Amino acid sequence: GGGAEEEALEAAVEDAIEVRVELSRCCGGKVDLLFPFVRSPTRAKIKLDSEAMHSTLDEALGRQLVAALSALCNAGSADAQRLSAVDGCACCGGSAYALHVAFGGAITAIEFDASRAALLSENLSLLCSDGRAAAMAGDFCALWPQLAPTD
């Protein structure tokens, strides 16, 4: 009866979880933990440096952030597909990627370190291939005034 059905269901769920874990760990290393839902061919090309290993917003938390931002936009009657955003401490692009998912406008990702900004630019070209996301090298506080909307 019900006991056998429950056991079969539990076994199927465990098998599905094992398959998901196997698929999400295909590239090896921290990139699998930070970007588990990015398709593996793309994920394999994402670059991380030592800073990114501990300061990048992971994709799972990014999805929660997107849900919260979407709810905030809905509460304020804002059309998220028309909004742009700035990530002022972008590192390798985890938060910028989440913002790209949440908003339909331009996403500007700023990284202070020039070599990390180059890495960020490469990652954004992989993760945000529609061209709406751009990386900038520099001090966010100094760049902020020129990023303000003009309309």
Side-chain angles (χ1 to χ4, degrees):
E5 288 177 8
E6 286 179 29
E7 286 179 23
L9 179 59
E10 286 179 22
V13 168
E14 287 177 20
D15 289 345
I17 290 170
E18 286 179 23
V19 167
R20 175 67 187 141
V21 169
E22 181 181 326
L23 291 174
S24 71
R25 307 273 181 206
C26 67
C27 300
K30 185 91 177 210
V31 71
D32 288 321
L33 297 173
L34 293 173
F35 299 98
F37 307 115
V38 172
R39 293 180 163 267
S40 58
T42 301
R43 188 177 347 127
K45 296 175 186 173
I46 294 173
K47 296 179 181 175
L48 305 175
D49 67 0
S50 60
E51 182 79 16
M53 296 298 232
H54 67 271
S55 68
T56 299
L57 178 76
D58 65 87
E59 191 178 7
L61 182 57
R63 285 184 174 201
Q64 293 178 13
L65 174 68
V66 164
L69 290 171
S70 295
L72 185 62
C73 287
N74 289 338
S77 300
D79 181 2
Q81 291 308 303
R82 297 185 63 209
L83 296 176
S84 295
V86 176
D87 178 357
C89 301
C91 195
C92 77
S95 296
Y97 178 53
L99 292 170
H100 181 266
V101 171
F103 300 124
I107 306 302
T108 302
I110 301 170
E111 172 52 45
F112 184 78
D113 181 87
S115 61
R116 192 170 299 113
L119 179 142
L120 168 66
S121 181
E122 290 180 40
N123 287 343
L124 289 180
S125 68
L126 292 168
L127 295 168
C128 311
S129 60
D130 63 3
R132 292 187 298 111
M136 293 178 74
D139 180 347
F140 169 72
C141 293
L143 293 170
W144 174 250
Q146 72 189 52
L147 298 173
T150 57
D151 45 292

